[in-house]
């Protein structure tokens, strides 16, 4: 009897539990019909399609020919690289470039080992008194997006398709010789080297140097500046030019603005000043090399103040802003190499006693190992950091 009673109780209890479960499910469904629906949200970010940059075929082929770089057989200008004159030119450019590349490799080592924080932060590079000295700037700051270069030499025009012969190749070799051998252009030579029947201005030299460094040119366009300092495209020949380019390994578009302009205080273009005032100083580094000590003189005070105001760092040789100026304004400095005196071509008035004392007394001077600027045996590299900027 007990067993029968126990079984009845168990069965009743189970019936109650099952009924309760059914009742819960049905009540839940009736009160909240969405309970049985599961929505899966994809939280993975949608990757943007990477657009592969493409260079201008003709501009790049012409640049490679005059840079002494072989073209592929399918290139429409391939035959131009099969002449004896071109092969001799290529061999000579290879020899000249090898000498320069040795120096640029040492620049890259200093950049990688010491200047990583500066180069990572530098989105803009401001290179006054530059001429077409592209290799040093690009090697120090390869990650920048915009480069501003200035000089008295006219922009000229891009290389055009024509028959190149021995005369053409010799003109380019001569125009590049001082930069690739000495590390700088000689101003008095550029007036003839960049303005003749074969070379029209700085643009052809930029094209050749970019080709040598593995860059691809997208476009070369004349530009002007309005009074607000904004870039405006123009089809007319202009003293200003914009070169859009990229490196295939990076696939990131960059722009080089070259401005043919006089930086003397009395000649300073107000539209150029308006453009400079738009540059963000927190992401801009200035570069100065072999500038004939112009920044030492009161007649270049405007561009000197622009550099100090619109840069978080300056990388220069002893021809740039004086060491005393940086000290007086509280800038931190890192010194490389050595300092003795200006070369004989320049007045003794540009000798910097404060800089000589720093090189003599400071214990933190770093080795340089390559020629940077005018002095062959006594090159100095100065990295100046704005007071609120910290180095690595």
């Amino acid at each position: 009897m007990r067993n029968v009673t126990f079984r009845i109780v168990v069965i009743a209890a189970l019936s109650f539990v099952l009924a309760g479960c059914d009742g819960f499910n049905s009540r839940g469904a009736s009160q909240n019909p969405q309970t049985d629906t599961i929505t899966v949200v994809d939280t993975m970010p949608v990757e943007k399609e990477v657009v592969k940059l493409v260079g201008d075929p003709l501009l790049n082929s012409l640049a490679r020919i005059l840079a002494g770089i072989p073209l592929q057989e399918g290139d429409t200008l391939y035959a131009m690289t099969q002449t004896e004159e071109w092969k001799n030119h290529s061999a000579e450019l290879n020899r000249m470039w090898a000498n320069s590349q040795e120096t640029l490799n040492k620049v890259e080592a200093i950049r990688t080992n010491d200047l990583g924080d500066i180069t990572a932060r530098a989105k803009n590079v401001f290179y006054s008194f530059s001429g077409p000295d592209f290799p040093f700037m690009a090697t120090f700051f390869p990650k920048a997006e915009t480069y501003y270069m200035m000089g008295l030499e006219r922009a000229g025009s891009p290389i055009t398709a024509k028959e190149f012969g021995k005369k053409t190749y010799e003109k380019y070799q001569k125009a590049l010789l001082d930069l690739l051998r000495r590390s700088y252009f000689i101003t008095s030579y550029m007036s003839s080297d960049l303005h003749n029947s074969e070379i029209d201005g700085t643009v052809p030299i930029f094209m050749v140097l970019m080709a040598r460094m593995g860059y691809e040119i997208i476009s070369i366009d004349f530009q002007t500046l309005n009074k607000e300092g904004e870039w405006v495209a123009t089809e007319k020949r202009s003293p200003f030019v914009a070169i859009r380019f990229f490196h295939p390994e990076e696939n990131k578009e960059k722009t080089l603005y070259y401005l043919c302009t006089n930086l003397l205080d009395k000649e300073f273009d107000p539209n150029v000043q308006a453009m400079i005032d738009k540059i963000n100083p927190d992401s801009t580094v200035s570069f100065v090399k072999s500038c004939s000590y112009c920044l030492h003189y009161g007649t270049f005070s405007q561009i000197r103040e622009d550099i100090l105001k619109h840069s978080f760092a300056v990388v220069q040789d002893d021809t740039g802003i004086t060491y005393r100026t940086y000290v007086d304004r509280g800038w931190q400095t890192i010194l490389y190499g050595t300092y003795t005196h200006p070369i004989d071509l320049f007045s003794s008035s540009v000798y910097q006693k404060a800089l000589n004392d720093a090189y003599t007394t400071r214990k933190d001077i770093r080795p340089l190992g390559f020629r940077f600027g005018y002095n062959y045996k006594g090159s100095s590299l100065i990295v100046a950091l704005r007071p609120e900027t910290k180095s690595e």
Side-chain angles (χ1 to χ4, degrees), residues 292-293 296-297 318 322 339-354 356:
S292 300
Y293 298 91
H296 287 220
Y297 299 111
D318 66 292
T322 64
Y339 176 77
T340 52
H341 55 77
I343 60 175
D344 294 339
L345 181 64
F346 296 96
S347 169
S348 59
S349 65
V350 295
Y351 172 76
Q352 299 185 63
K353 183 180 184 302
N356 183 71

Side-chain angles (χ1 to χ4, degrees), residues 274-293:
M275 181 273 295
I276 294 172
D277 288 339
K278 288 181 174 292
I279 299 176
N280 182 0
D282 293 326
S283 58
T284 302
V285 61
S286 283
F287 189 62
V288 185
K289 180 172 69 66
S290 309
C291 73
S292 300
Y293 298 91

Side-chain angles (χ1 to χ4, degrees), residues 141-286:
F141 311 107
K143 300 299 183 181
E145 299 171 2
T146 309
Y147 303 91
Y148 302 92
M149 301 180 72
M150 302 180 176
L152 290 173
E153 298 73 32
R154 71 167 183 252
S157 55
I159 302 167
T160 55
K162 64 175 185 177
E163 291 296 326
F164 301 135
K166 183 178 179 181
K167 179 182 178 181
T168 304
Y169 299 136
E170 288 179 346
K171 289 289 186 182
Y172 276 88
Q173 291 169 26
K174 185 174 183 294
L176 294 166
L177 179 62
D178 289 317
L179 176 67
L180 301 185
R181 181 180 62 180
R182 302 172 184 265
S183 85
Y184 59 90
F185 287 101
I186 297 177
T187 304
S188 59
Y189 292 172
M190 284 194 287
S191 59
S192 59
D193 288 345
L194 304 185
H195 309 293
N196 53 66
S197 60
E198 305 299 324
I199 302 175
D200 180 22
T202 61
V203 170
I205 303 302
F206 279 125
M207 293 175 66
V208 168
L209 293 172
M210 285 181 174
R212 266 286 160 180
M213 297 187 73
Y215 289 98
E216 293 268 348
I217 298 170
I218 299 172
S219 66
I220 301 176
D221 302 297
F222 289 116
Q223 302 273 291
T224 60
L225 284 169
N226 61 24
K227 63 181 181 180
E228 287 77 31
E230 299 167 335
W231 290 104
V232 180
T234 176
E235 295 182 359
K236 298 180 180 179
R237 180 181 290 270
S238 167
F240 307 152
V241 68
I243 304 176
R244 295 168 56 230
F245 65 103
F246 69 98
H247 199 288
E249 293 181 359
E250 188 181 21
N251 194 49
K252 182 179 180 181
E253 184 176 323
K254 304 170 181 290
T255 303
L256 185 154
Y257 293 104
Y258 177 77
L259 298 86
C260 174
T261 189
N262 195 327
L263 297 176
L264 272 167
D265 289 348
K266 64 180 182 180
E267 301 288 344
F268 215 100
D269 185 338
N271 291 3
V272 171
Q273 183 61 60
M275 181 273 295
I276 294 172
D277 288 339
K278 288 181 174 292
I279 299 176
N280 182 0
D282 293 326
S283 58
T284 302
V285 61
S286 283

